């Protein structure tokens, strides 16, 4: 699952709670979470009295582990340059969270049970769409065309 794990209006992390509910139901072997987990640009940081970024990240990690540990689900987290706790560069080094079984950089290619997986937290299709030029390009099927360009 990819972050942010909050709604635009609050820091209650309801999307993350909904995801953890699905994890309890489906009992996956591995949970892959791509940041951002704590976005410093979130409007709630200006309007609500909240903990520090580090404290909030630790509390989130505890909540996630309360779900994954009893199930034996391995937790893999991916850094995002948009995370308040990350180095804001791309490529982004791992978060270094001790709460995860594995903390990986952004971008990364890794192997899981013999399957090679590539991940990034950047919105690659958004970047491709912003530089797409041409005349008489049909608007229908635009996302499929951008995804095809990405894979070619």
């Amino acid at each position: 699952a990819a972050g942010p794990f909050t709604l635009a209006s609050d820091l209650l992390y309801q999307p993350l709670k909904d995801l953890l509910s699905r994890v309890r139901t489906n009992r996956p072997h591995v949970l892959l979470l791509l940041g951002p987990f704590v976005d410093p640009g979130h409007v709630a940081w200006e309007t609500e009295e909240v903990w520090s970024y580090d404290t909030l990240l630790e509390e989130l990690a505890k909540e996630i582990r309360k779900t994954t540990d009893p199930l034996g689900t391995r937790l893999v987290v991916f850094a995002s340059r948009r995370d308040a706790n990350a180095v804001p560069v791309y490529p982004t080094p791992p978060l270094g969270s001790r709460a995860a079984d594995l903390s990986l950089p952004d971008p990364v290619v890794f192997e899981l049970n013999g399957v090679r997986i590539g991940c990034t937290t950047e919105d690659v299709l958004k970047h491709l769409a912003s530089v797409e030029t041409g005349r008489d390009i049909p608007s229908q099927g635009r996302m499929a065309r951008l995804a095809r360009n990405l894979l070619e």
Side-chain angles (χ1 to χ4, degrees):
F5 296 99
T6 60
L7 298 176
S9 59
D10 61 50
L11 286 172
L12 299 176
Y13 285 88
Q14 190 59 48
L16 179 62
K17 292 174 184 173
D18 294 343
L19 173 66
L20 294 177
S21 174
R22 301 267 324 244
V23 167
R24 283 187 289 278
T25 301
N26 296 324
R27 305 176 66 89
H29 296 283
V30 179
L31 177 60
L32 307 176
L33 295 178
L34 290 81
F37 299 95
V38 181
D39 189 344
H42 196 287
V43 297
W45 287 108
E46 297 172 11
T47 59
E48 295 180 22
E49 195 171 310
V50 293
W51 304 322
S52 72
Y53 296 140
D54 291 331
T55 304
L56 182 54
L57 186 62
E58 285 302 314
E59 290 300 314
L60 288 174
K62 285 179 192 173
E63 281 300 310
I64 294 167
R65 292 316 294 229
K66 275 197 247 179
T67 298
T68 59
D69 285 351
L71 301 174
T73 299
R74 290 192 63 208
L75 177 61
V76 181
V77 297
F78 300 83
S80 168
R81 67 180 174 81
R82 289 179 40 211
D83 251 312
N85 305 64
V87 179
V89 297
Y90 191 80
T92 307
L95 286 174
S97 173
R98 293 182 303 270
D101 295 311
L102 184 59
S103 184
L104 297 172
D106 177 28
V108 68
V109 176
F110 66 103
E111 193 167 310
L112 183 64
N113 295 335
V115 178
R116 290 184 61 92
I117 302 169
C119 291
T120 183
T121 61
E122 289 299 310
D123 190 347
V124 178
L125 291 179
K126 177 182 174 186
H127 294 299
L128 282 174
S130 70
V131 296
E132 182 181 49
T133 59
R135 292 178 73 133
D136 302 321
I137 297 175
S139 62
Q140 137 185 38
R142 182 172 189 228
M143 293 308 286
R145 184 178 62 254
L146 289 170
R148 189 174 49 252
N149 288 339
L150 178 64
L151 296 174
E152 289 178 349

